[in-house]
Amino acid sequence: MSSILISGKEIGQAIRSELSIRIDRLKNRGITPGLAVILVGENSASKTYVANKQKTCEALGMHSRLLSFESELTERELIQAIHSLNNDPEIHGILVQLPLPNHITETEVLAAISPAKDVDGFHPINIGKMMLGQDTFLPCTPFGVMKLLEHSHIEISGKHAVVIGRSHIVGKPMGQLLLQKDATVTYAHSKTANLKEITLQADILVVAVGRTKMITSDYVKTGAVVIDVGMNRDENNRLCGDVDFDSVKEKAAYLTPVPGGVGPMTITMLMVNTVKSAENELLQDI
Ligand code: NDP
């Protein structure tokens, strides 16, 4: 048996093609969706992520603005920059690239972003709305995973979904979104006892840990759907996931590759959220 590969590259492309129609419609009404990305410091991985986000914006004909600051920037200065973007009519989405330098409190900064422009979906108000199942900006990575499942026609209702990882940006919202689609959800994390016993029960296994090839085939039930969120570097500095692709592909029914799985979906859903924000502005004008 060899898994069906779920291609985030292809599904992301299909979603972006549909999105360009919505962008054209907005432009015809005089609105160009605009995304501002804030980068603080010299983290090279962050720089790559930011460059990819800008490239995708530009390819879609969206407006993108980069605010790049030295790592010495104070929290107050950063919050002031966010406030001015909150009031800038050209900007519909604001994203602060994480991680921030240690002297800056992440929660304070994320809370300073207007919930109406919080296209990462990290503001406490938007997280609350997500928990309540209300319309809001969903965090891009779990939102992208849901789209991968939907486009691959994978049944979620009644399935046992196991999410390994409980970060605010991936694991926790991931479990919530699966729950809203009527999965029975189990969270696992670094203190979980007998991880393998739990993952072997998973019909859908989402792995968001950040440990190279941690999930080998002996953690996977035959016929499971395995979504690998991990983005790590292996011993040869090649991009790889949290799942041991070569062994798991012999057991899982569906599997996402790394690269080309969840990664392209995260950026795509950021664009979707930014366009949604611009459309919301149009609705307010009516
Ligand atoms: P965090 O480091 O914030 O969270 C990791 C989670 O894994 C924590 O909840 C931690 O548990 C848990 N964990 C750590 N070790 C183990 C273990 N041995 N067994 C079980 N659980 C464990 O990472 P993120 O959620 O931000 O990211 C996870 C991965 O996803 C990373 O590789 C990251 O690069 C990638 N990523 C990929 C994205 C994409 O677009 N493809 C986007 C965002 C992230 P505890 O809470 O107890 O510490």
Side-chain angles (χ1 to χ4, degrees), residues 37-106:
V37 180
I38 301 179
L39 180 64
V40 186
E42 291 293 319
N43 183 321
S44 63
S46 290
K47 278 187 173 172
T48 309
Y49 298 148
V50 164
N52 285 339
K53 286 165 188 172
Q54 282 197 292
K55 220 167 67 189
T56 311
C57 259
E58 280 152 23
L60 283 166
M62 289 165 53
H63 171 59
S64 96
R65 193 187 299 169
L66 172 65
L67 281 80
S68 190
F69 296 106
E70 309 265 307
S71 56
E72 291 76 28
L73 182 81
T74 65
E75 186 175 311
R76 198 185 153 88
E77 287 166 331
L78 177 54
I79 289 177
Q80 273 166 355
I82 291 172
H83 285 161
S84 83
L85 292 170
N86 284 344
N87 295 316
D88 187 332
E90 277 190 2
I91 298 300
H92 302 93
I94 303 169
L95 177 150
V96 177
Q97 187 64 47
L98 302 176
L100 289 166
N102 288 338
H103 67 278
I104 298 180
T105 316
E106 201 176 285

Side-chain angles (χ1 to χ4, degrees), residues 1-5 217 243-253 255:
M1 172 176 173
S2 196
S3 309
I4 296 172
L5 294 189
S217 62
V243 173
D244 179 31
F245 184 87
D246 290 335
S247 73
V248 171
K249 81 175 191 317
E250 301 304 326
K251 222 167 169 192
L255 177 59

Side-chain angles (χ1 to χ4, degrees), residues 141 164-167 189-190 208-211 214 229-232 266:
T141 301
I164 319 182
R166 55 173 166 176
S167 69
H189 46 78
S190 69
V209 173
R211 282 173 184 251
M214 171 185 156
V229 180
M231 274 211 298
N232 316 300
T266 299

Side-chain angles (χ1 to χ4, degrees), residues 34-222:
L35 175 70
V37 180
I38 301 179
L39 180 64
V40 186
E42 291 293 319
N43 183 321
S44 63
S46 290
K47 278 187 173 172
T48 309
Y49 298 148
V50 164
N52 285 339
K53 286 165 188 172
Q54 282 197 292
K55 220 167 67 189
T56 311
C57 259
E58 280 152 23
L60 283 166
M62 289 165 53
H63 171 59
S64 96
R65 193 187 299 169
L66 172 65
L67 281 80
S68 190
F69 296 106
E70 309 265 307
S71 56
E72 291 76 28
L73 182 81
T74 65
E75 186 175 311
R76 198 185 153 88
E77 287 166 331
L78 177 54
I79 289 177
Q80 273 166 355
I82 291 172
H83 285 161
S84 83
L85 292 170
N86 284 344
N87 295 316
D88 187 332
E90 277 190 2
I91 298 300
H92 302 93
I94 303 169
L95 177 150
V96 177
Q97 187 64 47
L98 302 176
L100 289 166
N102 288 338
H103 67 278
I104 298 180
T105 316
E106 201 176 285
T107 47
E108 295 291 331
V109 169
L110 296 180
I113 299 172
S114 161
K117 296 190 179 184
D118 168 41
V119 287
D120 250 343
F122 295 163
H123 192 287
I125 287 184
N126 289 331
I127 294 172
K129 284 186 171 179
M130 179 200 65
M131 293 284 289
L132 296 169
Q134 295 176 3
D135 183 39
T136 186
F137 299 116
L138 299 176
C140 301
T141 301
F143 188 14
V145 171
M146 295 308 284
K147 287 288 168 193
L148 287 179
L149 297 173
E150 185 188 313
H151 279 251
S152 309
H153 308 288
I154 288 164
E155 179 77 40
I156 300 174
S157 177
K159 302 294 180 196
H160 186 186
V162 175
V163 179
I164 319 182
R166 55 173 166 176
S167 69
H168 296 324
I169 61 172
V170 188
K172 264 188 205 164
M174 186 72 252
Q176 279 301 316
L177 296 182
L178 289 162
L179 182 65
Q180 274 163 24
K181 292 289 176 196
D182 299 323
T184 302
V185 177
T186 303
Y187 284 101
H189 46 78
S190 69
K191 308 289 187 295
T192 297
N194 305 324
L195 179 66
K196 202 180 282 185
E197 257 173 46
I198 294 166
T199 59
L200 280 170
Q201 295 171 33
D203 302 308
I204 299 171
L205 179 61
V206 182
V207 192
V209 173
R211 282 173 184 251
T212 304
K213 300 182 187 176
M214 171 185 156
I215 298 301
T216 45
S217 62
D218 49 331
Y219 283 80
V220 175
K221 180 167 92 170
T222 301

Side-chain angles (χ1 to χ4, degrees), residues 10-28:
E10 283 170 23
I11 295 172
Q13 180 56 53
I15 293 175
R16 290 198 299 278
S17 299
E18 284 170 24
L19 199 61
S20 27
I21 300 168
R22 285 164 63 187
I23 295 169
D24 286 345
R25 225 178 278 148
L26 280 164
K27 284 184 158 177
N28 289 337

